[in-house]
Amino acid sequence: MTEAGEDDVMFEGVLEAAPEKVWRALTVPELVGAWLLPAREAAAGLELDGTEEGLSRIDCEVIEAEAPSLLRYRWQADGEAESVVTFELTRIAEGTWLRLTHEPALARVMAAANSNGPVMLAA
C-alpha cells in the first residue's frame, strides 16, 4: 500500500464483495454511474458527468492499472486543478479492503521559453 501524504484525503473500509466485483464497479461506466456519477468511456479512461446534480464534468485518465488490485486516475474537474485518485483493493476473508486516496492538486512548474528556470509554481 502507498503512504498517504499529510494533505491527502483517505478512506479505508471493508466491502462485502470480491476485489474483481469492486474492480468492475470502478471501471465499467454503467456500474460507476450507479454509485458515483453518470459515466461514459473516454479515450484515456472515464468521463463523469455531474452537471444534472449541479456538479462539474470530471475527466478520469487512467495512469496506472493492475486489475483487480490497483487503479489510479488523473482526476480533473472542469475549471479545477488536476489531482490523483487511487483505489487500492486487497482481498480479505470478508471481501475487499478498500483504500481510496485523493491526492491534492499536482504542482506545475512553468519555465520561460529560453529555459531561464521556473517563472511560476502553481498548486
Side-chain angles (χ1 to χ4, degrees), residues 23 27 44-46 60-65 70-74:
W23 180 267
T27 58
L46 294 174
C60 302
E61 177 186 347
V62 175
I63 54 176
E64 188 174 1
L70 175 70
L71 180 62
R72 184 169 285 130
Y73 284 117
R74 183 169 291 116

Side-chain angles (χ1 to χ4, degrees), residues 1 4-5 7 12-13 22 28 32 34 40 55 62 68 76-77 80 83-84 97 99 118:
M1 290 202 165
D7 294 332
E12 294 181 298
V22 177
V28 175
V32 172
R40 67 180 180 88
L55 302 171
V62 175
Q76 182 148 23
E80 294 188 18
S83 59
V84 174
W97 179 260
R99 181 177 187 175

Side-chain angles (χ1 to χ4, degrees), residues 35-118:
W35 68 271
L36 185 57
L37 290 172
R40 67 180 180 88
E41 284 190 46
L46 294 174
E47 179 182 292
L48 306 178
D49 186 358
T51 54
E52 286 188 22
E53 292 81 10
L55 302 171
S56 296
R57 187 184 58 77
I58 303 168
D59 289 321
C60 302
E61 177 186 347
V62 175
I63 54 176
E64 188 174 1
E66 296 173 20
S69 60
L70 175 70
L71 180 62
R72 184 169 285 130
Y73 284 117
R74 183 169 291 116
W75 185 277
Q76 182 148 23
D78 286 340
E80 294 188 18
E82 184 178 279
S83 59
V84 174
V85 176
T86 303
F87 298 90
E88 296 173 275
L89 311 173
T90 304
R91 186 180 308 277
I92 59 173
E94 299 86 350
T96 300
W97 179 260
L98 168 69
R99 181 177 187 175
L100 182 156
T101 307
H102 192 151
E103 300 172 33
L106 301 173
R108 296 284 185 215
V109 176
M110 299 178 68
N114 61 5
S115 297
N116 282 340

